Amino acid sequence: MTIVTAIGLPIATDVVDVVALGESMVTFLPSRPGRLADVPSFDRAIGGAESNVVCMLAAAGHSTRWVGRVGADGFGDHLVESIGAYGVDVESVRRDPGRPTGIYFRTAGDRATDAHEVAYYRAGSAASAMAVGNTDLDAVRAGRVLHLSGITAALSEDCLDLVRELTAPGAGRPLVSFDVNHRPGLWRDAEGPRVLLELARGADIVFVGDDEAREAWGLHGARAIRQALPEPGIVVVKQGGHGATVLGRDTGGARRDATEAATFEPALNVDVVAAVGAGDAFAAGFLSATLRRLPVRDRLRHGHLMAAAALTAPGDLATPPARDHADRLAALDDTAWGTLRLGPGWTEADTRAEEEVRTP
């Protein structure tokens, strides 16, 4: 039996918590700072907006599944094995014998700077061939939450048709979480912003950065974004290092109208190692707290804590804090939350302290 909560979140014991569909790639991280032309070697890792979310959710104790398409090559093997090692179900990942697994290289610097470089090798990738007819839609829909992003929609016309199919209303549709992830360089024409707005309006939970809303839609501020997205139950506007705002029917039972209540929560003070993956981590923290039916403030705080874990690690993925550790931090009063500062290794500090207490 499936029960539906006020925001449409199904409760069932025979489904996974979160399913994500999208492209994952093998990433190559530089061994030292500098231009790509000057870096002598790279360390191999994995990355992908949607798989990042379910990997962090799995590490935080949730049941998850990733559905994607990779090449029948060594890089595809590495992706499937690495994502599966997080505890993510990868049984529905398809292998494509005629197309390669996508890869990319990046520099060590913050991508917000002019010196940052990323070299993608994803054109014609196996993931770009995902389509309604070659994807296990039953596996995709068999979760309490289905997490998607605008990146998948930009990969090909078939991928866009697939995302449209999954965001279309229908009986038995899971709660759809959609991260706008506006990537202008991926779109084949100028229709990207319009398509992203269409897809976001079909979702139940939407994550969007205020900067990308300005760039894609010319919108300024959380209220303007909400007015452009009246259909989703929850809209989460990420405001970078400033914080994040939630507007929606689930912000304390307020009716959704022009005076709808907004919940803002400031971001944490973080000693940043690398800015990549923070948005995906924030979505994972927010969804984790949503699955646990925590108050909206705590959902935002868990998002910030997961983002802090990613910001203080070098790759796209990081070890999240233990749940009880995160719960204690999320329960801090406003003053303590505002003065909290987190640096590299903070997610493991609680575990190390417990081990030291147990060591005679």
Side-chain angles (χ1 to χ4, degrees), residues 59 102 105 149 153 182 196 207 215 217 233 237 281 287 315 334-335 359:
F105 298 78
S149 93
H182 180 226
L196 289 172
F207 298 94
E215 181 181 14
W217 305 322
V237 180
L287 291 176
D334 290 346
T335 300
T359 303

Side-chain angles (χ1 to χ4, degrees), residues 14-339:
D14 57 344
V15 296
V16 296
D17 288 335
V18 180
V19 178
L21 174 140
E23 179 172 36
S24 294
M25 295 180 289
V26 174
T27 70
F28 290 91
L29 309 178
S31 57
R32 72 181 192 194
R35 302 182 310 155
L36 286 179
D38 300 327
V39 175
S41 60
F42 296 81
D43 294 320
R44 186 179 63 176
I46 61 174
E50 301 85 0
S51 60
N52 285 348
V53 171
V54 287
C55 283
M56 292 202 75
L57 281 166
H62 294 278
S63 58
T64 64
R65 172 181 296 143
W66 171 56
V67 179
R69 193 174 184 87
V70 299
D73 50 33
F75 288 145
D77 294 341
H78 177 63
L79 276 177
V80 173
E81 292 167 6
S82 298
I83 293 171
Y86 277 85
V88 178
D89 176 358
V90 293
E91 292 301 314
S92 299
V93 177
R94 299 287 173 85
R95 308 302 290 262
D96 190 323
R99 290 171 176 261
T101 302
I103 64 173
Y104 75 93
F105 298 78
R106 68 171 174 85
T107 52
D110 188 331
R111 62 179 165 189
T113 69
D114 293 337
H116 184 70
E117 299 174 73
V118 180
Y120 287 105
Y121 299 90
R122 72 195 308 177
S125 69
S128 68
M130 287 190 295
V132 173
N134 64 19
T135 302
D136 187 345
L137 298 183
D138 289 337
V140 173
R141 292 173 170 140
R144 298 170 66 192
V145 176
L146 169 60
H147 184 69
L148 305 167
S149 93
I151 293 174
T152 305
L155 296 179
S156 68
E157 288 298 328
D158 282 341
C159 284
L160 174 55
D161 289 343
L162 176 58
V163 178
R164 280 181 167 144
E165 170 72 18
L166 295 173
T167 55
R173 190 186 90 162
L175 189 82
V176 174
S177 163
F178 183 76
D179 194 333
V180 172
N181 266 324
H182 180 226
R183 301 288 187 270
L186 287 179
W187 288 93
R188 299 163 297 285
D189 52 42
E191 289 296 293
R194 180 192 61 77
V195 172
L196 289 172
L197 187 63
E198 166 206 329
L199 296 172
R201 293 181 67 176
D204 300 296
I205 299 176
V206 174
F207 298 94
V208 60
D210 59 353
D211 55 346
E212 61 184 345
R214 285 193 301 272
E215 181 181 14
W217 305 322
L219 299 174
H220 298 267
R223 294 288 184 187
I225 295 169
R226 180 53 166 167
Q227 288 174 2
L229 296 170
E231 295 87 357
I234 297 174
V235 174
V236 184
V237 180
K238 299 174 291 182
Q239 295 152 296
H242 182 54
T245 299
V246 170
L247 299 104
R249 290 191 296 274
D250 202 40
T251 55
R255 292 184 59 187
R256 183 181 59 184
D257 53 32
T259 60
E260 181 179 63
T263 301
F264 170 79
E265 193 62 27
L268 290 160
N269 298 309
V270 177
D271 297 326
V272 177
V273 172
V276 293
D280 303 329
F282 179 91
F286 189 92
L287 291 176
S288 174
T290 298
L291 287 162
R292 297 169 60 202
R293 295 173 180 79
L294 299 183
V296 172
R297 186 207 72 166
D298 289 3
R299 299 181 197 187
L300 285 167
R301 286 192 170 187
H302 277 275
H304 289 318
L305 287 164
M306 283 276 206
L311 289 167
T312 52
D316 284 29
L317 284 166
T319 302
R323 183 173 291 184
D324 58 349
H325 185 193
D327 284 344
R328 288 197 301 273
L329 294 178
L332 292 172
D333 61 43
D334 290 346
T335 300
W337 177 264
T339 57

